[in-house]
Coordinates of all heavy atoms in Angstrom, one line a residue:
M50 N 181.0 116.2 63.4 CA 181.9 117.0 62.7 C 183.0 116.2 62.0 O 183.4 116.5 60.9 CB 182.5 118.1 63.6 CG 183.2 119.1 62.8 SD 182.3 119.9 61.5 CE 182.1 121.5 62.0
E51 N 183.5 115.1 62.7 CA 184.5 114.3 62.2 C 184.0 113.6 60.9 O 184.8 113.5 59.9 CB 185.0 113.2 63.2 CG 185.7 113.8 64.3 CD 186.0 112.8 65.4 OE1 185.4 111.7 65.4 OE2 186.9 113.1 66.3
R52 N 182.8 113.2 60.8 CA 182.3 112.6 59.6 C 182.2 113.6 58.5 O 182.6 113.3 57.3 CB 180.9 112.0 59.8 CG 180.8 110.8 60.8 CD 179.4 110.3 61.0 NE 179.5 109.2 61.9 CZ 178.4 108.4 62.2 NH1 177.3 108.6 61.6 NH2 178.5 107.4 63.0
Y53 N 181.8 114.8 58.8 CA 181.8 115.8 57.7 C 183.2 116.2 57.2 O 183.4 116.3 56.0 CB 181.1 117.1 58.3 CG 181.0 118.2 57.3 CD1 180.3 118.1 56.1 CD2 181.7 119.4 57.6 CE1 180.2 119.2 55.2 CE2 181.6 120.5 56.7 CZ 180.9 120.3 55.5 OH 180.8 121.4 54.6
E54 N 184.1 116.3 58.1 CA 185.5 116.6 57.7 C 186.1 115.5 56.9 O 186.8 115.7 55.9 CB 186.4 116.9 59.0 CG 186.0 118.2 59.6 CD 186.7 118.4 61.0 OE1 187.3 117.4 61.5 OE2 186.6 119.5 61.5
G55 N 185.8 114.2 57.3 CA 186.2 113.1 56.5 C 185.6 113.1 55.1 O 186.3 112.8 54.1
F56 N 184.3 113.4 55.0 CA 183.6 113.6 53.7 C 184.3 114.6 52.9 O 184.6 114.3 51.7 CB 182.2 113.9 54.0 CG 181.4 114.4 52.8 CD1 181.0 113.6 51.8 CD2 181.1 115.8 52.7 CE1 180.3 114.1 50.7 CE2 180.5 116.3 51.5 CZ 180.1 115.4 50.6
L57 N 184.6 115.8 53.4 CA 185.2 116.8 52.7 C 186.6 116.4 52.2 O 187.0 116.7 51.0 CB 185.3 118.1 53.5 CG 184.0 118.8 53.8 CD1 184.3 120.0 54.7 CD2 183.3 119.2 52.5
L58 N 187.4 115.8 53.0 CA 188.7 115.3 52.7 C 188.6 114.3 51.5 O 189.4 114.4 50.6 CB 189.4 114.7 53.9 CG 190.8 114.1 53.6 CD1 191.8 115.1 53.1 CD2 191.4 113.5 54.9
S59 N 187.7 113.3 51.6 CA 187.6 112.3 50.6 C 187.2 112.9 49.3 O 187.7 112.6 48.2 CB 186.5 111.3 51.0 OG 186.3 110.3 50.0
M60 N 186.2 113.8 49.3 CA 185.8 114.5 48.1 C 187.0 115.3 47.4 O 187.3 115.2 46.2 CB 184.7 115.4 48.3 CG 183.4 114.7 48.8 SD 182.7 113.6 47.6 CE 181.7 114.7 46.7
S61 N 187.8 116.0 48.3 CA 188.9 116.7 47.8 C 190.0 115.8 47.2 O 190.5 116.1 46.1 CB 189.5 117.5 49.0 OG 190.7 118.2 48.6
L62 N 190.2 114.7 47.9 CA 191.2 113.7 47.3 C 190.8 113.2 46.0 O 191.7 112.7 45.2 CB 191.5 112.6 48.4 CG 192.2 113.0 49.7 CD1 192.2 111.8 50.6 CD2 193.6 113.5 49.4
H63 N 189.6 113.1 45.7 CA 189.1 112.6 44.4 C 188.7 113.7 43.4 O 188.1 113.5 42.4 CB 187.8 111.7 44.7 CG 188.2 110.4 45.3 ND1 188.2 110.3 46.7 CD2 188.5 109.3 44.8 CE1 188.6 109.1 47.0 NE2 188.8 108.4 45.8
G64 N 189.1 115.0 43.8 CA 189.0 116.1 42.9 C 187.5 116.5 42.7 O 187.2 117.1 41.7
I65 N 186.7 116.3 43.7 CA 185.3 116.6 43.6 C 185.1 117.8 44.5 O 185.3 117.8 45.7 CB 184.4 115.5 44.0 CG1 184.6 114.3 43.1 CG2 182.9 115.9 44.0 CD1 183.9 113.0 43.6
Q66 N 184.5 118.9 43.9 CA 184.3 120.1 44.7 C 182.9 120.0 45.4 O 181.9 119.6 44.7 CB 184.3 121.3 43.8 CG 184.4 122.6 44.6 CD 184.9 123.8 43.7 OE1 185.0 123.6 42.4 NE2 185.1 124.9 44.3
V67 N 182.8 120.4 46.6 CA 181.6 120.3 47.4 C 181.0 121.8 47.4 O 181.7 122.7 47.8 CB 181.8 119.8 48.8 CG1 180.6 119.9 49.6 CG2 182.4 118.4 48.8
D68 N 179.8 121.9 47.1 CA 179.1 123.2 47.1 C 178.5 123.4 48.5 O 177.6 122.6 48.9 CB 178.0 123.3 46.1 CG 177.4 124.7 45.9 OD1 177.5 125.5 46.9 OD2 176.9 124.9 44.8
P69 N 179.0 124.3 49.3 CA 178.5 124.5 50.7 C 177.1 124.8 50.8 O 176.5 124.6 51.9 CB 179.4 125.6 51.3 CG 180.1 126.2 50.1 CD 180.0 125.3 49.0
K70 N 176.4 125.3 49.8 CA 175.0 125.6 49.9 C 174.1 124.4 50.1 O 173.0 124.4 50.6 CB 174.5 126.4 48.7 CG 174.4 125.7 47.4 CD 173.9 126.6 46.3 CE 173.8 125.8 45.0 NZ 173.6 126.7 43.9
F71 N 174.7 123.2 49.8 CA 174.0 121.9 50.0 C 174.4 121.2 51.2 O 174.0 120.1 51.5 CB 174.2 121.0 48.8 CG 173.7 121.6 47.5 CD1 174.5 121.8 46.4 CD2 172.3 121.9 47.3 CE1 174.1 122.3 45.2 CE2 171.9 122.4 46.1 CZ 172.7 122.6 45.1
C72 N 175.2 121.8 52.1 CA 175.7 121.2 53.3 C 175.1 121.8 54.5 O 175.3 123.0 54.8 CB 177.2 121.4 53.4 SG 178.1 120.6 52.0
Y73 N 174.3 121.1 55.2 CA 173.7 121.6 56.5 C 174.7 121.1 57.6 O 174.9 119.9 57.8 CB 172.3 121.0 56.7 CG 171.8 121.5 58.0 CD1 171.2 122.8 58.1 CD2 171.9 120.8 59.2 CE1 170.8 123.3 59.3 CE2 171.5 121.4 60.4 CZ 170.9 122.6 60.4 OH 170.5 123.1 61.6
T74 N 175.3 122.1 58.3 CA 176.2 121.8 59.3 C 175.8 122.4 60.7 O 176.6 122.4 61.6 CB 177.6 122.3 59.0 OG1 177.6 123.7 58.7 CG2 178.2 121.5 57.7
G75 N 174.5 122.8 60.8 CA 174.0 123.4 62.0 C 173.7 122.3 63.0 O 173.9 121.1 62.8
N76 N 173.3 122.7 64.2 CA 172.9 121.8 65.2 C 171.6 121.1 64.9 O 170.7 121.7 64.4 CB 172.8 122.5 66.6 CG 174.2 123.0 67.1 OD1 175.2 122.4 66.8 ND2 174.2 124.1 67.8
L77 N 171.5 119.9 65.3 CA 170.3 119.1 65.2 C 170.1 118.3 66.5 O 171.0 117.8 67.1 CB 170.4 118.0 64.1 CG 170.3 118.5 62.7 CD1 170.6 117.3 61.7 CD2 168.9 119.0 62.4
S78 N 168.8 118.3 66.9 CA 168.5 117.4 68.0 C 167.6 116.3 67.4 O 167.0 116.5 66.3 CB 167.7 118.1 69.1 OG 166.4 118.4 68.7
F79 N 167.6 115.1 67.9 CA 166.9 114.0 67.4 C 165.5 114.3 67.1 O 164.9 113.9 66.1 CB 167.0 112.8 68.3 CG 166.5 111.5 67.6 CD1 167.3 110.8 66.7 CD2 165.2 111.0 68.0 CE1 166.8 109.7 66.1 CE2 164.8 109.9 67.4 CZ 165.5 109.2 66.4
L80 N 164.8 115.1 68.0 CA 163.4 115.5 67.8 C 163.2 116.5 66.7 O 162.1 116.6 66.2 CB 162.8 115.9 69.1 CG 162.9 114.9 70.2 CD1 162.4 115.5 71.5 CD2 162.0 113.7 69.9
S81 N 164.2 117.2 66.3 CA 164.0 118.3 65.3 C 164.5 117.9 63.9 O 164.5 118.7 63.0 CB 164.7 119.6 65.8 OG 166.1 119.5 65.8
Y82 N 165.1 116.7 63.8 CA 165.6 116.3 62.5 C 164.7 116.6 61.3 O 165.1 117.2 60.4 CB 166.0 114.8 62.5 CG 167.4 114.5 62.8 CD1 168.0 115.0 63.9 CD2 168.2 113.7 62.0 CE1 169.3 114.7 64.2 CE2 169.5 113.4 62.3 CZ 170.1 113.9 63.4 OH 171.4 113.6 63.7
R83 N 163.5 116.1 61.4 CA 162.6 116.1 60.3 C 162.2 117.6 59.9 O 162.3 118.0 58.8 CB 161.3 115.4 60.5 CG 160.3 115.4 59.4 CD 159.1 114.4 59.5 NE 159.5 113.1 60.0 CZ 160.0 112.1 59.3 NH1 160.3 112.3 58.0 NH2 160.3 111.0 59.8
E84 N 161.9 118.4 60.9 CA 161.6 119.8 60.7 C 162.8 120.6 60.1 O 162.6 121.3 59.1 CB 161.1 120.4 62.0 CG 160.8 121.9 61.8 CD 160.3 122.5 63.2 OE1 160.1 121.8 64.1 OE2 160.3 123.8 63.2
T85 N 163.9 120.4 60.7 CA 165.1 121.1 60.2 C 165.5 120.7 58.8 O 165.8 121.6 58.0 CB 166.3 120.8 61.2 OG1 165.9 121.2 62.5 CG2 167.5 121.6 60.8
I86 N 165.5 119.4 58.5 CA 165.9 118.9 57.2 C 164.9 119.4 56.2 O 165.3 119.8 55.1 CB 166.1 117.4 57.2 CG1 167.4 117.0 58.0 CG2 166.2 116.8 55.8 CD1 167.6 115.6 58.3
T87 N 163.6 119.2 56.5 CA 162.6 119.7 55.6 C 162.7 121.2 55.2 O 162.6 121.6 54.1 CB 161.2 119.4 56.1 OG1 161.0 117.9 56.3 CG2 160.1 119.9 55.2
N88 N 162.9 122.0 56.2 CA 163.1 123.4 56.0 C 164.3 123.7 55.2 O 164.3 124.5 54.3 CB 163.2 124.1 57.4 CG 163.3 125.6 57.2 OD1 162.4 126.2 56.6 ND2 164.2 126.2 57.9
F89 N 165.4 123.0 55.4 CA 166.6 123.1 54.6 C 166.4 122.8 53.2 O 166.7 123.5 52.3 CB 167.7 122.3 55.2 CG 169.0 122.3 54.4 CD1 169.9 123.4 54.5 CD2 169.4 121.2 53.6 CE1 171.1 123.4 53.7 CE2 170.5 121.2 52.9 CZ 171.4 122.3 53.0
L90 N 165.7 121.7 52.9 CA 165.5 121.2 51.5 C 164.4 122.1 50.8 O 164.6 122.4 49.6 CB 165.0 119.8 51.5 CG 166.0 118.7 52.0 CD1 165.4 117.4 52.1 CD2 167.2 118.7 51.0
D91 N 163.4 122.6 51.6 CA 162.4 123.5 51.0 C 163.0 124.8 50.5 O 162.5 125.4 49.6 CB 161.3 123.8 52.0 CG 160.3 122.7 52.2 OD1 160.3 121.8 51.4 OD2 159.6 122.8 53.2
H92 N 164.2 125.2 51.0 CA 164.8 126.5 50.6 C 165.9 126.3 49.6 O 166.6 127.2 49.3 CB 165.3 127.2 51.9 CG 164.2 127.8 52.7 ND1 163.6 127.1 53.7 CD2 163.5 129.0 52.6 CE1 162.6 127.8 54.2 NE2 162.5 129.0 53.5
Q93 N 166.0 125.1 49.0 CA 167.0 124.9 48.0 C 166.4 125.2 46.6 O 165.3 124.8 46.3 CB 167.5 123.4 47.9 CG 168.2 123.0 49.2 CD 169.5 123.7 49.4 OE1 170.2 124.1 48.5 NE2 169.7 124.0 50.7
E94 N 167.1 126.0 45.8 CA 166.5 126.4 44.5 C 166.7 125.2 43.5 O 166.0 125.1 42.5 CB 167.2 127.6 44.0 CG 166.8 128.8 44.8 CD 167.5 130.1 44.3 OE1 168.0 130.1 43.1 OE2 167.6 131.1 45.1
E95 N 167.7 124.4 43.8 CA 168.0 123.2 43.0 C 168.5 122.1 43.9 O 168.9 122.4 45.0 CB 169.0 123.5 41.9 CG 170.3 124.0 42.4 CD 171.3 124.4 41.3 OE1 171.2 123.9 40.2 OE2 172.3 125.1 41.7
M96 N 168.6 120.9 43.4 CA 169.2 119.8 44.2 C 170.5 119.4 43.6 O 170.6 119.4 42.3 CB 168.2 118.6 44.3 CG 167.0 118.9 45.1 SD 167.3 119.2 46.8 CE 165.7 119.9 47.3
P97 N 171.4 118.9 44.4 CA 172.7 118.4 43.9 C 172.4 117.0 43.3 O 171.3 116.4 43.4 CB 173.6 118.3 45.1 CG 172.6 118.1 46.2 CD 171.4 118.9 45.9
D98 N 173.4 116.4 42.8 CA 173.3 115.0 42.3 C 173.1 114.0 43.4 O 172.5 112.9 43.2 CB 174.6 114.6 41.5 CG 174.7 115.4 40.2 OD1 173.7 115.8 39.7 OD2 175.9 115.6 39.8
A99 N 173.7 114.3 44.6 CA 173.6 113.4 45.7 C 173.8 114.1 47.1 O 174.3 115.2 47.1 CB 174.8 112.4 45.6
F100 N 173.2 113.4 48.1 CA 173.4 113.9 49.5 C 174.1 112.7 50.2 O 173.6 111.6 50.2 CB 172.1 114.2 50.2 CG 171.5 115.5 49.9 CD1 170.5 115.7 48.9 CD2 172.0 116.7 50.5 CE1 170.0 117.0 48.7 CE2 171.5 117.9 50.3 CZ 170.5 118.1 49.3
G101 N 175.1 113.0 50.9 CA 175.8 112.1 51.9 C 175.3 112.5 53.3 O 175.6 113.7 53.7
C102 N 174.7 111.7 54.0 CA 174.1 112.1 55.3 C 175.0 111.6 56.4 O 175.7 110.5 56.3 CB 172.7 111.5 55.5 SG 171.6 112.1 54.2
A103 N 175.0 112.3 57.5 CA 175.8 111.9 58.7 C 175.4 110.7 59.4 O 176.1 110.1 60.1 CB 175.9 113.1 59.7
N104 N 174.1 110.3 59.2 CA 173.6 109.1 59.8 C 172.3 108.6 59.0 O 171.8 109.3 58.1 CB 173.2 109.3 61.3 CG 172.2 110.4 61.4 OD1 171.1 110.4 60.9 ND2 172.6 111.4 62.2
D105 N 171.9 107.4 59.3 CA 170.8 106.8 58.6 C 169.5 107.5 58.9 O 168.6 107.5 58.0 CB 170.7 105.3 58.9 CG 171.9 104.5 58.3 OD1 172.6 105.1 57.5 OD2 172.0 103.3 58.6
H106 N 169.3 108.0 60.1 CA 168.1 108.7 60.4 C 167.9 109.9 59.5 O 166.8 110.0 58.9 CB 168.1 109.2 61.9 CG 166.9 109.8 62.3 ND1 165.6 109.2 62.4 CD2 166.7 111.1 62.8 CE1 164.7 110.1 62.8 NE2 165.3 111.2 63.1
A107 N 168.9 110.7 59.3 CA 168.8 111.8 58.3 C 168.5 111.3 56.9 O 167.7 111.9 56.2 CB 170.1 112.6 58.4
A108 N 169.2 110.3 56.5 CA 169.0 109.7 55.1 C 167.6 109.3 54.9 O 167.0 109.5 53.9 CB 170.0 108.6 54.9
T109 N 167.0 108.6 55.9 CA 165.6 108.2 55.8 C 164.7 109.4 55.7 O 163.7 109.3 54.9 CB 165.2 107.3 57.0 OG1 166.1 106.2 57.1 CG2 163.8 106.9 57.0
I110 N 164.9 110.5 56.4 CA 164.1 111.7 56.3 C 164.2 112.2 54.9 O 163.2 112.6 54.3 CB 164.5 112.7 57.4 CG1 164.1 112.2 58.7 CG2 163.8 114.0 57.1 CD1 164.6 112.9 59.9
L111 N 165.4 112.3 54.3 CA 165.6 112.8 53.0 C 164.9 111.9 52.0 O 164.2 112.4 51.1 CB 167.1 112.8 52.6 CG 167.8 114.2 52.7 CD1 168.0 114.5 54.2 CD2 169.1 114.2 52.0
L112 N 165.0 110.6 52.1 CA 164.3 109.7 51.2 C 162.8 110.0 51.2 O 162.1 110.0 50.1 CB 164.5 108.2 51.6 CG 165.9 107.7 51.3 CD1 166.1 106.3 51.9 CD2 166.2 107.7 49.8
K113 N 162.2 110.1 52.4 CA 160.7 110.4 52.5 C 160.4 111.8 51.9 O 159.4 111.9 51.2 CB 160.3 110.3 53.9 CG 160.3 108.9 54.5 CD 159.8 108.8 55.9 CE 160.0 107.4 56.5 NZ 159.3 106.3 55.9
Y114 N 161.3 112.7 52.1 CA 161.0 114.1 51.6 C 161.0 114.0 50.1 O 160.1 114.5 49.4 CB 162.2 115.0 52.0 CG 162.0 116.4 51.4 CD1 161.3 117.4 52.1 CD2 162.6 116.7 50.2 CE1 161.2 118.7 51.6 CE2 162.4 118.0 49.6 CZ 161.7 119.0 50.3 OH 161.6 120.2 49.8
F115 N 162.0 113.4 49.5 CA 162.1 113.3 48.0 C 160.9 112.5 47.4 O 160.3 112.9 46.4 CB 163.4 112.7 47.6 CG 164.6 113.6 47.8 CD1 165.7 113.1 48.4 CD2 164.5 114.9 47.5 CE1 166.8 114.0 48.6 CE2 165.6 115.8 47.7 CZ 166.7 115.3 48.3
E116 N 160.5 111.4 48.1 CA 159.4 110.6 47.7 C 158.1 111.5 47.6 O 157.3 111.4 46.7 CB 159.2 109.5 48.6 CG 158.0 108.6 48.3 CD 157.9 107.5 49.4 OE1 158.7 106.5 49.3 OE2 157.0 107.6 50.2
T117 N 157.9 112.3 48.6 CA 156.7 113.1 48.7 C 156.7 114.4 47.9 O 155.7 115.1 47.7 CB 156.3 113.5 50.2 OG1 157.4 114.3 50.7 CG2 156.0 112.3 51.0
H118 N 157.9 114.7 47.3 CA 158.1 115.9 46.5 C 158.4 115.6 45.0 O 158.8 116.5 44.3 CB 159.2 116.8 47.1 CG 158.7 117.5 48.3 ND1 158.7 116.9 49.6 CD2 158.3 118.8 48.5 CE1 158.3 117.8 50.5 NE2 158.0 118.9 49.9
G119 N 158.1 114.4 44.6 CA 158.2 114.0 43.2 C 159.5 113.7 42.7 O 159.7 113.6 41.4
Y120 N 160.5 113.5 43.5 CA 161.9 113.2 43.1 C 162.0 111.6 43.0 O 161.4 110.9 43.9 CB 162.9 113.7 44.0 CG 163.1 115.2 44.0 CD1 162.4 116.0 44.8 CD2 164.0 115.8 43.1 CE1 162.5 117.4 44.8 CE2 164.2 117.2 43.1 CZ 163.4 117.9 44.0 OH 163.6 119.3 44.0
S121 N 162.8 111.2 42.1 CA 163.1 109.8 42.0 C 164.5 109.5 42.6 O 165.5 110.2 42.1 CB 163.0 109.3 40.6 OG 163.5 107.9 40.5
V122 N 164.6 108.7 43.6 CA 165.9 108.3 44.1 C 166.3 106.9 43.6 O 165.5 106.0 43.8 CB 165.8 108.4 45.7 CG1 167.1 107.9 46.3 CG2 165.4 109.7 46.2
P123 N 167.4 106.8 43.0 CA 168.5 107.6 42.9 C 168.6 108.4 41.5 O 169.6 109.0 41.2 CB 169.7 106.7 43.0 CG 169.2 105.4 42.3 CD 167.7 105.4 42.7
D124 N 167.5 108.3 40.7 CA 167.6 108.9 39.4 C 167.8 110.4 39.4 O 168.6 110.9 38.7 CB 166.4 108.5 38.5 CG 166.3 107.0 38.3 OD1 167.3 106.3 38.1 OD2 165.1 106.5 38.3
D125 N 167.0 111.1 40.2 CA 167.1 112.5 40.3 C 168.1 113.0 41.3 O 168.9 113.9 41.1 CB 165.7 113.1 40.7 CG 164.6 112.8 39.7 OD1 165.0 112.8 38.5 OD2 163.5 112.7 40.1
V126 N 168.2 112.3 42.4 CA 169.2 112.6 43.5 C 169.4 111.4 44.3 O 168.5 110.6 44.6 CB 168.6 113.8 44.4 CG1 167.4 113.4 45.1 CG2 169.7 114.2 45.4
A127 N 170.7 111.1 44.5 CA 171.1 109.9 45.3 C 171.2 110.3 46.8 O 171.5 111.4 47.1 CB 172.4 109.4 44.8
V128 N 170.9 109.3 47.6 CA 171.0 109.6 49.1 C 171.8 108.5 49.7 O 171.5 107.3 49.5 CB 169.6 109.7 49.7 CG1 169.7 109.8 51.2 CG2 168.8 110.8 49.1
S129 N 172.8 108.8 50.5 CA 173.6 107.8 51.2 C 173.5 108.1 52.7 O 173.7 109.2 53.2 CB 175.0 107.9 50.7 OG 175.8 107.0 51.5
G130 N 173.3 107.1 53.5 CA 173.3 107.2 54.9 C 174.8 106.9 55.4 O 175.7 107.1 54.6
Y131 N 174.9 106.4 56.6 CA 176.3 106.2 57.1 C 176.4 104.9 57.9 O 177.4 104.2 57.8 CB 176.7 107.4 58.0 CG 178.1 107.4 58.4 CD1 179.1 107.9 57.7 CD2 178.4 106.8 59.7 CE1 180.5 107.8 58.1 CE2 179.7 106.7 60.1 CZ 180.8 107.2 59.3 OH 182.1 107.2 59.7
D132 N 175.4 104.6 58.7 CA 175.5 103.6 59.7 C 175.1 102.2 59.3 O 175.4 101.2 60.0 CB 174.8 104.0 61.0 CG 175.2 105.4 61.5 OD1 176.4 105.6 61.8 OD2 174.3 106.3 61.6
E133 N 174.4 102.1 58.2 CA 173.8 100.9 57.7 C 173.0 100.2 58.8 O 173.1 99.0 59.1 CB 174.9 99.9 57.2 CG 174.4 98.9 56.3 CD 175.5 98.0 55.7 OE1 176.7 98.4 55.8 OE2 175.2 97.0 55.0
I134 N 172.1 101.0 59.4 CA 171.2 100.4 60.5 C 170.1 99.7 59.8 O 169.4 100.3 58.9 CB 170.7 101.6 61.4 CG1 171.8 102.2 62.1 CG2 169.6 101.1 62.3 CD1 171.5 103.4 62.9
E135 N 169.8 98.5 60.1 CA 168.8 97.6 59.5 C 167.4 98.3 59.4 O 166.8 98.3 58.4 CB 168.7 96.3 60.2 CG 167.8 95.3 59.5 CD 168.3 94.8 58.2 OE1 169.5 94.8 58.0 OE2 167.4 94.5 57.3
D136 N 167.0 98.9 60.5 CA 165.7 99.6 60.5 C 165.6 100.8 59.6 O 164.5 101.2 59.3 CB 165.3 100.0 61.9 CG 164.9 98.8 62.8 OD1 164.8 97.7 62.2 OD2 164.9 99.0 64.0
S137 N 166.7 101.3 59.2 CA 166.7 102.5 58.3 C 166.8 102.2 56.8 O 166.6 103.1 56.0 CB 167.9 103.4 58.7 OG 167.8 103.9 60.0
C138 N 167.0 101.0 56.5 CA 167.2 100.6 55.1 C 165.8 100.4 54.5 O 165.0 99.6 55.0 CB 168.0 99.3 55.0 SG 169.7 99.5 55.6
P139 N 165.6 101.1 53.3 CA 164.3 100.9 52.6 C 164.2 99.5 52.1 O 165.2 98.8 51.8 CB 164.3 101.9 51.5 CG 165.6 102.7 51.6 CD 166.4 102.0 52.7
R140 N 163.0 99.0 52.1 CA 162.8 97.6 51.6 C 162.0 97.6 50.3 O 161.3 98.4 50.0 CB 162.1 96.8 52.6 CG 163.0 96.6 53.8 CD 162.3 95.7 54.9 NE 163.0 95.4 56.0 CZ 163.8 96.2 56.7 NH1 164.1 97.4 56.4 NH2 164.4 95.7 57.8

């Protein structure tokens, strides 16, 4: 929650409005990340310009989702992780 609150504060300080329909703030367990994120994205009528993820695991799931659904990252939608974990970085 602290990462999300920091994200909202930073966006606000830069005059950028965050649309809550693109913000998933529900509970996640490590084993349900893929299913929960896929379900969330499947129910979006449009995509924002970018997603900022709370961790690299979530960002990797988004990248794979967009790859399999015909989106170009970062041309169509940008994705940012958080932790810069080596195993999560695309090569």
Side-chain angles (χ1 to χ4, degrees):
M50 189 53 113
E51 290 172 345
R52 290 179 182 190
Y53 179 64
E54 290 170 349
F56 164 75
L57 292 177
L58 177 60
S59 178
M60 298 296 275
S61 175
L62 290 173
H63 289 89
I65 301 170
Q66 193 165 8
V67 175
D68 189 338
K70 72 180 176 190
F71 297 121
C72 299
Y73 180 82
T74 58
N76 291 328
L77 283 173
S78 74
F79 189 78
L80 297 175
S81 71
Y82 263 52
R83 183 170 315 282
E84 179 182 346
T85 303
I86 291 170
T87 298
N88 186 49
F89 176 75
L90 294 173
D91 281 346
H92 287 90
Q93 298 298 323
E94 293 180 20
E95 61 181 337
M96 291 296 166
D98 294 331
F100 278 99
C102 300
N104 58 57
D105 290 351
H106 182 62
T109 301
I110 292 169
L111 263 73
L112 289 172
K113 291 183 188 299
Y114 177 93
F115 290 133
E116 179 182 284
T117 61
H118 286 80
Y120 290 89
S121 175
V122 176
D124 297 326
D125 297 328
V126 60
V128 175
S129 174
Y131 185 88
D132 305 302
E133 201 172 350
I134 296 172
E135 185 67 28
D136 288 346
S137 297
C138 298
R140 293 181 176 42

